[in-house]
């Protein structure tokens, strides 16, 4: 089965759960500009894209799963917002340079894509990034360590940006508390 069909099956099975914005966007929503062009990369059913569109940004959402995009189109219509959805393999067709004020990526890690994401930001543009880490407290998330971040890896990947926020607690301290298993970063292109 190719990747798109695999994700179609996963999204088809999850239709009853409403998609939610990722923590990096929900907790730092106040950093968003009042308008501009936003892109949700590997959007799934688009919890991030919906938040961006409701906040008044002109929002594109890309994914390889047509099932996910169909669900997002319906959710956007129900919410009374427009999202420009596109079935697009971002590994072979990354965003064009200097076209976005906001880019959000959650739970998708393709390291060669990251320089394209940085290039796709306009000056002053923001990236919100969140995904799984290797230094986790349980097995939730991808089993292949290649799809998990190493310690401080997000900081290294986004070094050209000004880092506004970063969080990765690893397995330090009382693991019953805190925000675990993932890292988040918000960067600004100066
Ligand atoms: C774990 S889901 C995350 C979805 C959403 N961003 C979230 O946080 O809920 C990963 C998403 O990446 C999409 N995806 C996988 N490979 C892709 C590719 N090469 N180009 C675009 N989307 C891709 C999948 O279809 C899936 O919707």
């Amino acid at each position: 089965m190719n990747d798109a069909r695999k994700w179609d099956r996963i999204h088809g099975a999850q239709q009853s759960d409403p998609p939610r914005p990722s923590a990096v966007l929900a907790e730092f929503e106040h950093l968003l500009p009042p308008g501009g062009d936003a892109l949700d990369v590997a959007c799934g059913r688009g919890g991030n894209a919906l938040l961006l569109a409701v906040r008044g940004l002109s929002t594109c959402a890309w994914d390889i799963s047509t099932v996910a995009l169909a669900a997002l189109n319906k959710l956007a219509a129900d919410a009374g917002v427009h999202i420009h959805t596109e079935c697009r393999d971002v590994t072979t067709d990354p965003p064009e340079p200097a076209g976005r004020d906001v880019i959000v990526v959650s739970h998708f890690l393709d390291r060669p894509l990251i320089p394209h994401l940085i290039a796709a930001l306009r000056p002053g543009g923001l990236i919100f990034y969140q995904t799984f880490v290797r230094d986790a407290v349980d097995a939730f998330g991808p089993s292949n360590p290649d799809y998990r971040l190493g310690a401080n890896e997000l900081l290294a990947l986004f070094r050209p940006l000004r880092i506004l926020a970063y969080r990765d607690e690893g397995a330090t301290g009382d693991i019953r508390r805190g925000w675990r298993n993932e890292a988040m970063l918000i960067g600004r292109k100066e």
Side-chain angles (χ1 to χ4, degrees):
M1 193 189 318
N2 68 24
D3 268 8
R5 299 294 77 76
K6 181 190 89 171
W7 282 107
D8 280 347
R9 283 171 62 114
I10 293 169
H11 288 300
Q14 290 177 343
Q15 297 282 355
S16 57
D17 310 325
R20 292 189 308 177
S22 53
V24 69
L25 189 56
E27 290 177 20
F28 291 92
E29 188 184 339
H30 59 280
L31 296 179
L32 288 171
D37 296 307
L39 172 64
D40 183 359
V41 173
C43 59
R45 288 177 302 127
N48 296 321
L50 284 163
L51 183 151
L52 295 167
V54 167
R55 278 289 307 250
L57 287 111
S58 173
T59 303
C60 294
W62 298 349
D63 201 281
I64 48 164
S65 166
T66 54
V67 170
L69 296 173
L72 175 54
N73 284 329
K74 181 170 185 325
L75 289 162
D78 291 348
V81 294
H82 183 67
I83 295 174
H84 308 266
T85 56
E86 185 177 332
C87 185
R88 178 154 166 164
D89 182 340
V90 296
T91 62
T92 55
D93 203 2
E96 299 75 16
R100 308 286 167 176
D101 302 294
V102 174
I103 298 176
V104 183
V105 188
S106 62
H107 308 124
F108 178 77
L109 181 58
D110 180 71
R111 294 171 177 84
L113 177 63
I114 286 176
H116 295 283
L117 299 178
I118 294 171
L121 290 172
R122 294 181 180 136
L126 300 174
I127 185 140
F128 294 74
Y129 204 107
Q130 171 184 335
T131 199
F132 299 100
V133 292
R134 294 193 191 123
D135 189 12
V137 302
D138 61 44
F140 186 74
S143 53
N144 183 343
D146 291 347
Y147 295 125
R148 290 178 173 270
L149 293 160
N152 286 347
E153 190 179 354
L154 269 189
L155 291 170
L157 290 168
F158 287 102
R159 195 184 305 281
L161 302 183
R162 176 180 170 199
I163 305 305
L164 302 180
Y166 176 72
R167 188 168 184 184
D168 175 9
E169 300 184 357
T172 304
D174 181 354
I175 63 167
R176 296 165 302 179
R177 298 171 56 194
W179 188 76
R180 307 291 180 167
N181 296 329
E182 300 185 46
M184 63 164 72
L185 175 145
I186 301 164
R188 182 176 192 274
K189 190 165 192 174
E190 299 293 67

